[in-house]
Amino acid sequence: MIIGGHLYVDGLGCNWGLQATHPLSPDIVVQLMKDNGFNKVKLFEADPGAMEALGRSGIQVMVGIPNDMLAGLANSVRAAEEWVQQNVSNYLSRRGVDIRYVAVGNEPFLKTYNNRFTQITYPALQNIQAALIKAGLGRDVKATVPLNADVYQSDSGLPSGGNFRTDIHDLMVSIVKFINDNGAPLTINIYPFLSLYADSHFPVDFAFFDGNASPVVDGSISYTNVFDANYDTLISALEKTNRGTPKRPTLPDIYLFSLIDEDAKSIDPGNFERHWGVFYYDGTIKYPLDLGRGRNLTAAKGVRYLARQWCVMAPDADLLNPNLAQSINTACTYADCTSLGFGSSCGGLDARSNASYAFNMYYQTMNQRSGSCEQFHNLSIITRIDPGFRDSSCRYEIMIDTGRHAQRRNPGTSSAGKTMAGSFVFWAVVLVLVVCGCLN
């Protein structure tokens, strides 16, 4: 659990996403996890670089299958067997990867998918589990489906009223029974931040974990944060739809979402999608977090960057230049400018600094390629003076040299941001819960 910025768990997992234009070296990420006490990780796909780096690392792995693969796996036992052989058996035996779970899809029953994956998720789960058993891995590796918390709801608004959504009720009962019969975990993604993001009237304190919120009383139980309330809504749903009573003798496994920011994620749900990380894109510390036992976050080591230079708006460039707006739009079409959004870490810049930020993000995303700063109608120049503001949460980035550039440096500004997109605090952390033994 997270209470007042302190983590109270014996072991801690994280989600490691790979949708970045300039990803950290997998070896650096694995060391980052080890340095910060993460002993479990969920991957959204069986990325070869990530899987090989996790070999013999001592980190337990949940390896994911993307939703766009579900149809093929649902329709072919052979396809499931081939996937298990290539992505589970191979890495277990040849690379020493400690794979514990296979995550079949990711939140496939989201309402926004309009039932695209509703009929194929369960058959895909069954085929993957059967393939694991055939490969002799059924006792050690379990198949599960990471589900969004919107698979259950409460008509009363209280946790005790929890039940599965009516449109997938029977399907959820079947899935829960199947994973329980196979000794697998039930995996639920709970997003305290999104409760706050979706409702302007949502009580802010209730999205945090410091216990300062006015309690929500449900019978004899009081809730002071949305995470606990949401979790118990799930428990109530399980109690109502199964003959047994859910067993909760120990805390569930907890996976924080996410380890590192991903600047190439879709922002259709919101700009925040690129800023879930506990760490910035390069493994630097975003905000203070006490990991328990007096241990604080440790930044990534051995990161190499592109040259220490930035692309900014030229001092003599005119803010009234008719090409300026289009130049900024072009830059932000091909680079991540979400930190310029309202309320974000760079949202308060003046017009010239705003343009400089956009130009620089494009320049860095293009690997500082020759000509990439000069294309903005003579509005931009390259500088070796850090344009960032001291004591500001707005960072003018220099990208990671994915070709292992020899020059090392610390990024220009590393203040701990406390605004929305670009620098999330604790209520923007998603917890992935693995709830085991859900049925008697």
Side-chain angles (χ1 to χ4, degrees):
M1 297 295 180
I2 302 179
I3 302 175
H6 301 267
L7 292 176
Y8 293 96
V9 289
D10 290 331
L12 186 62
C14 63
N15 289 256
W16 178 7
L18 299 166
Q19 297 184 55
T21 61
H22 292 71
L24 279 170
S25 163
D27 290 334
I28 290 178
V29 176
V30 169
Q31 190 60 51
L32 177 67
M33 287 189 280
K34 294 172 71 173
D35 288 345
N36 287 281
F38 291 105
N39 60 1
K40 306 177 184 71
V41 66
K42 179 194 171 198
L43 299 175
F44 293 90
E45 57 187 307
D47 177 78
M51 293 292 282
E52 290 179 10
L54 286 163
R56 299 177 179 84
S57 65
I59 297 174
Q60 299 174 11
V61 177
M62 178 188 295
V63 59
I65 298 175
N67 288 339
D68 59 10
M69 294 183 62
L70 294 180
L73 296 173
N75 294 324
S76 171
V77 174
R78 180 60 181 164
E81 291 172 352
E82 290 176 352
W83 189 93
V84 166
Q85 173 59 38
Q86 180 178 349
N87 299 293
V88 181
S89 300
N90 176 50
Y91 287 110
L92 275 169
S93 61
R94 297 181 59 189
R95 302 293 183 180
V97 181
D98 187 7
I99 301 173
R100 300 296 182 93
Y101 306 115
V102 174
V104 182
N106 187 55
E107 302 183 344
F109 304 144
L110 275 176
K111 293 180 181 179
T112 54
Y113 286 145
N114 295 316
N115 293 315
R116 179 181 173 189
F117 306 110
T118 302
Q119 301 303 318
I120 58 177
T121 299
Y122 187 25
L125 173 68
Q126 292 173 306
N127 286 348
I128 287 293
Q129 185 63 55
L132 290 169
I133 293 171
K134 184 175 180 179
L137 302 173
R139 295 183 61 181
D140 300 317
V141 183
K142 304 296 183 180
T144 184
V145 180
L147 299 164
N148 188 280
D150 78 343
V151 299
Y152 51 91
Q153 59 193 17
S154 173
D155 292 336
S156 68
L158 297 173
S160 60
N163 208 337
F164 292 121
R165 278 181 9 218
T166 55
D167 60 312
I168 56 171
H169 181 277
D170 293 347
L171 176 59
M172 280 301 305
V173 172
S174 297
I175 288 175
V176 169
K177 184 178 187 304
F178 178 82
I179 64 175
N180 182 73
D181 289 346
N182 284 279
L186 175 64
T187 308
I188 300 291
N189 299 348
I190 299 178
Y191 301 75
F193 163 72
L194 293 185
S195 298
L196 180 64
Y197 181 81
D199 183 0
S200 60
H201 300 292
F202 191 89
V204 173
D205 288 343
F206 203 59
F208 289 83
F209 298 87
D210 54 14
N212 292 330
S214 298
V216 171
V217 179
D218 187 2
S220 61
I221 303 174
S222 294
Y223 296 92
T224 58
N225 67 77
V226 67
F227 168 73
D228 287 346
N230 194 306
Y231 179 37
D232 277 3
T233 303
L234 165 65
I235 299 304
S236 295
L238 290 169
E239 288 174 338
K240 286 184 176 65
T241 56
N242 299 289
R243 295 180 178 178
T245 300
K247 292 186 276 187
R248 297 194 296 165
T250 59
L251 285 173
D253 289 342
I254 297 176
Y255 294 71
L256 298 186
F257 183 83
S258 184
L259 183 67
I260 305 169
D261 285 348
E262 300 170 77
D263 68 342
K265 287 193 71 175
S266 168
I267 57 173
D268 287 345
N271 287 350
F272 58 82
E273 282 293 339
R274 294 177 177 174
H275 304 278
W276 285 112
V278 175
F279 296 93
Y280 287 110
Y281 75 102
D282 57 354
T284 52
I285 297 170
K286 185 182 291 185
Y287 51 77
L289 181 61
D290 183 348
L291 296 174
R293 301 185 179 93
R295 189 175 74 247
N296 296 315
L297 290 175
T298 299
K301 301 180 180 69
V303 182
R304 301 191 179 197
Y305 297 84
L306 298 172
R308 187 178 174 83
Q309 57 192 35
W310 297 262
C311 178
V312 299
M313 188 172 182
D316 58 350
D318 189 348
L319 288 171
L320 298 179
N321 188 305
N323 294 311
L324 180 58
Q326 183 58 43
S327 295
I328 294 174
N329 182 66
T330 298
C332 293
T333 297
Y334 298 100
D336 177 28
C337 295
T338 53
S339 291
L340 291 174
F342 176 76
S344 301
S345 52
C346 299
L349 300 179
D350 60 29
R352 187 171 293 276
S353 297
N354 188 88
S356 292
Y357 185 93
F359 294 160
N360 184 63
M361 286 306 299
Y362 178 85
Y363 178 61
Q364 302 297 337
T365 302
M366 297 298 129
N367 291 307
Q368 301 183 0
R369 188 179 63 215
S370 177
S372 57
C373 184
E374 289 77 24
Q375 70 171 50
F376 299 117
H377 304 282
N378 296 317
L379 290 167
S380 54
I381 62 168
I382 294 173
T383 179
R384 289 179 171 78
I385 300 174
D386 187 345
F389 300 100
R390 185 170 296 179
D391 299 324
S392 169
S393 60
C394 182
R395 303 171 12 138
Y396 286 74
E397 310 289 8
I398 293 180
M399 280 296 176
I400 297 168
D401 185 351
T402 55
R404 297 191 62 80
H405 193 284
Q407 181 175 348
R408 297 175 182 236
R409 72 162 188 92
N410 291 320
T413 306
S414 58
S415 299
K418 297 182 181 297
T419 49
M420 288 184 63
S423 302
F424 283 128
V425 287
F426 305 120
W427 42 270
V429 173
V430 176
L431 303 179
V432 179
L433 298 128
V434 183
V435 185
C436 301
C438 51
L439 296 174
N440 277 334

